[in-house]
Amino acid sequence: RHRRKFVITGFVFGSLYLLMNYAQKKLREWQEREAKKFFEMTRKKQHFESTERTCNQTILSLSKIVSESVFGILNTEEIVLKLQDNPDNKLALWEQMKIMIFTRICVLVYALSILQVTLRVQLNIIGGYLYRDSVHEEEPLIDSELQAKYLSLCHHFVGQGIEDLVKQIEKAVKRVVEPVSLKKKVTLQEIEQMFWSIQTI
């Protein structure tokens, strides 16, 4: 009778011991999985934040280049200097200035928007591939040469692309703004309407 109790007690304790071991093992596995998940999430977050920082810095530096390029192509200062001499073609210069100012504003809005969207997309795609390559020990999907080619699209836009954009927008601006007399007092609402009209051409 005592022996039977002893066997049952031994069985219960043995089962509890095995159960505890099993539970501890499962707990460790769960902790390892959670730690791995957390590490993965942290790594992803750090990678994303790093990409965003790079993106913001690149946009900032290229925005300055774009702005300088636009101001260089649409140089109103030259016209201002000519106007100071009170030339015979004063009216033509004012007309030119009017077109240039509207063109400059439109080009800056479009150019900086295009730059920002393009760069964000490009850098996030490259960043995604680089992250994938860092996690999986396989042949890299994107090498430095391909990255350079991909990003060269932005450099093309900052250079020749801006000049092309200026030409396109200037045509639209002329169609909308040229008929507006310099003597006409325009309201803010009318100016806004002109910008909308330029956009739809």
Side-chain angles (χ1 to χ4, degrees), residues 87-134:
D88 296 333
N89 63 337
K90 197 193 312 186
L91 191 63
L93 287 170
W94 275 111
E95 283 289 344
Q96 199 180 332
M97 174 86 91
K98 178 181 73 175
I99 299 296
M100 209 175 268
I101 288 168
F102 271 87
T103 305
R104 187 192 268 194
I105 292 166
C106 291
V107 170
L108 280 172
V109 170
Y110 274 100
L112 294 174
S113 300
I114 291 166
L115 177 73
Q116 190 160 139
V117 170
T118 307
L119 256 179
R120 282 203 184 281
V121 170
Q122 285 184 334
L123 288 175
N124 277 293
I125 288 171
I126 290 170
Y129 277 118
L130 289 174
Y131 177 78
R132 182 225 173 256
D133 291 344
S134 71

Side-chain angles (χ1 to χ4, degrees), residues 39-175:
F39 175 71
E40 192 71 24
M41 278 172 59
T42 306
R43 196 172 168 185
K44 271 184 187 173
K45 189 182 174 192
Q46 285 173 343
H47 184 82
F48 176 75
E49 285 171 355
S50 171
T51 304
E52 278 299 294
R53 275 195 304 274
T54 304
C55 203
N56 291 335
Q57 287 164 0
T58 310
I59 286 168
L60 197 64
S61 62
L62 285 179
S63 293
K64 287 176 185 172
I65 296 168
V66 166
S67 300
E68 284 167 10
S69 178
V70 172
F71 293 147
I73 297 165
L74 300 163
N75 192 344
T76 53
E77 286 175 21
E78 287 178 5
I79 299 173
V80 170
L81 288 171
K82 286 176 185 175
L83 283 166
Q84 284 173 351
D85 295 333
N86 201 21
D88 296 333
N89 63 337
K90 197 193 312 186
L91 191 63
L93 287 170
W94 275 111
E95 283 289 344
Q96 199 180 332
M97 174 86 91
K98 178 181 73 175
I99 299 296
M100 209 175 268
I101 288 168
F102 271 87
T103 305
R104 187 192 268 194
I105 292 166
C106 291
V107 170
L108 280 172
V109 170
Y110 274 100
L112 294 174
S113 300
I114 291 166
L115 177 73
Q116 190 160 139
V117 170
T118 307
L119 256 179
R120 282 203 184 281
V121 170
Q122 285 184 334
L123 288 175
N124 277 293
I125 288 171
I126 290 170
Y129 277 118
L130 289 174
Y131 177 78
R132 182 225 173 256
D133 291 344
S134 71
V135 173
H136 301 98
E137 292 176 9
E138 296 170 19
E139 188 71 26
L141 288 172
I142 184 164
D143 58 20
S144 55
E145 191 183 339
L146 189 58
Q147 287 177 48
K149 281 180 183 175
Y150 199 50
L151 291 171
S152 69
L153 295 170
C154 261
H155 288 287
H156 171 77
F157 174 70
V158 168
Q160 185 60 46
I162 294 294
E163 290 179 30
D164 295 339
L165 188 64
V166 167
K167 286 173 191 170
Q168 289 299 316
I169 290 176
E170 196 172 40
K171 285 178 194 172
V173 168
K174 280 180 178 175
R175 281 177 62 182

Side-chain angles (χ1 to χ4, degrees), residues 22-42:
Y22 178 77
Q24 282 175 345
K25 186 186 171 192
K26 286 294 172 189
L27 182 64
R28 270 197 307 273
E29 285 174 4
W30 178 81
Q31 284 172 334
E32 282 169 12
R33 273 198 312 272
E34 287 303 305
K36 195 177 176 183
K37 262 196 243 175
F38 177 75
F39 175 71
E40 192 71 24
M41 278 172 59
T42 306

